[in-house]
Amino acid sequence: MAAIDGLKPLRDVIRDHELVAKKSLGQNFLLDLNLTAKIARAAGDLTGADVLEVGPGPGGLTRGLLAEGARRVLAVEKDSRCLPALAEIAAHYPGRLEVINGDALEVDVRAHLTPPIKIAANLPYNVGTELLVRWLTPPDWPPFWESLTLMFQKEVAERIVAKPGTNHYGRLALLAQWRAEARIVMVLPPEAFTPAPKVHSAVVHLKALPEPRFPADARTLERIVAAGFNQRRKMLRASLKGVHPRIEELLLKAGIPPTERAEQVSLEQFCHLARLVKAAA
Ligand code: SAM
């Protein structure tokens, strides 16, 4: 394996620090530094940007991000066993790596970051979707980040980029595509990880749009989408009954047949309906 930074190969790091992978922390490590550098490049030009990384583990992606020129990396890692390995990387890149030992769902990272900010992570499966939804639904838009470059189970990645009329289309696709440009940039087989997970993985790149693709009140849109997809086999006139007493009339006004199912409705139509519901509230 070609060295990207003159530090120890990751297999040696894992051996020296006895980092036996823990399933409970979603630990599937990337040990190929050429691959982690490639993922870092998928995040775009990192020079001049602060990068937030969740779950650096032994530091494969962290090293990729630093070698690709990130101004600073802020890495939040729950497993304190990884700290000595990360300290070796920090010593190699003075002043460019800050590590917080904590739970990414609880740590307030904003005070540690200076714009422009990008987020890049090989996310722990158990908290990946929760973090993505949080990053996509801040109270104000644009968000604190410019782009997200995130590894997910391939099935989750497909749900993020899904189009109407497909099996994977749902709340995650609408949330992501309303305010960001989302695409799958890489698909990885289980063998790319140690230990190998059961499924394929994929890297999704999401670029924050300066403003939402179509105007709509965020809360109203989220309420409609959640209700529509909670009962995705039902016709909208039934699944959206609780959203507004005159929902059939509003659906027709938005150009959506009330007998349609949520999975057939485009983002633009959902936004139109959200505007009508908000105005009729
Ligand atoms: N980035 C490393 C790589 O690519 O090899 C490790 C990725 S591994 C899939 C996920 C990492 O997230 C693990 O290091 C795990 O300890 C960490 N982790 C799990 N839950 C976390 C949480 N709630 N907050 C921060 N880190 C977490």
Side-chain angles (χ1 to χ4, degrees):
M1 189 192 307
I4 56 168
D5 52 17
L7 284 162
K8 271 190 292 198
L10 283 156
R11 273 189 203 288
D12 296 355
V13 172
I14 285 177
R15 186 200 57 216
D16 294 353
H17 296 286
E18 297 176 27
L19 297 176
V20 178
K22 282 191 188 169
K23 211 173 172 183
S24 60
L25 286 170
Q27 291 184 336
N28 299 97
F29 300 133
L30 289 168
L31 303 188
D32 179 348
L33 288 164
N34 292 315
L35 183 57
T36 61
K38 195 170 160 197
I39 297 169
R41 282 197 292 278
D45 183 10
L46 299 177
T47 55
D50 275 12
V51 180
L52 168 64
E53 185 192 1
V54 172
L61 180 57
T62 320
R63 286 165 63 175
L65 294 165
L66 289 162
E68 288 301 316
R71 176 176 66 195
R72 278 184 69 251
V73 174
L74 173 67
V76 182
E77 173 57 61
K78 194 171 174 181
D79 186 354
S80 55
R81 294 180 310 154
C82 299
L83 300 183
L86 296 168
E88 288 174 6
I89 305 172
H92 189 77
Y93 290 100
R96 288 176 60 199
L97 172 60
E98 182 184 353
V99 179
I100 297 180
N101 184 201
D103 185 334
L105 292 170
E106 281 161 22
V107 174
D108 183 8
V109 290
R110 295 289 295 278
H112 299 260
L113 294 162
T114 310
I117 298 161
K118 297 188 173 196
I119 301 180
N122 173 13
L123 287 173
Y125 290 153
N126 42 359
V127 292
T129 315
E130 165 79 29
L131 282 170
L132 175 65
V133 169
R134 286 192 193 184
W135 288 327
L136 289 170
T137 54
D140 301 306
W141 200 264
F144 73 92
W145 49 270
E146 279 189 354
S147 70
L148 310 172
T149 307
L150 306 172
M151 179 92 70
F152 289 100
Q153 292 177 328
K154 184 162 168 267
E155 194 256 334
V156 176
E158 281 166 351
R159 278 165 45 205
I160 296 168
V161 303
K163 297 292 170 213
T166 64
N167 276 344
H168 289 299
Y169 186 60
R171 178 170 173 254
L172 214 47
L174 286 152
L175 273 188
Q177 296 170 38
W178 182 42
R179 300 199 273 200
E181 209 178 272
R183 60 200 169 88
I184 293 180
V185 290
M186 218 182 285
V187 176
L188 287 95
E191 312 82 74
F193 302 84
T194 304
K198 287 200 175 67
V199 295
H200 277 63
S201 300
V203 177
V204 185
H205 183 76
L206 296 112
K207 188 167 178 279
L209 296 170
E211 52 189 62
R213 218 173 277 276
F214 307 104
D217 172 63
R219 283 172 145 237
T220 312
L221 180 63
E222 277 172 36
R223 202 153 57 91
I224 290 172
V225 169
F229 285 97
N230 259 345
Q231 301 170 295
R232 60 189 292 145
R233 299 276 156 236
K234 279 201 177 173
M235 294 178 190
L236 288 167
R237 67 173 177 217
S239 59
L240 299 186
K241 224 178 193 163
V243 169
H244 196 279
R246 288 186 285 110
I247 196 66
E248 280 214 43
E249 180 192 322
L250 299 177
L251 280 163
L252 286 169
K253 226 173 164 181
I256 307 169
T259 52
E260 200 79 282
R261 273 128 183 123
E263 62 198 21
Q264 301 296 338
V265 177
S266 69
L267 171 62
E268 185 170 12
Q269 286 175 310
F270 271 120
C271 290
H272 190 176
L273 181 63
R275 293 197 297 277
L276 294 171
V277 167
K278 175 86 178 160

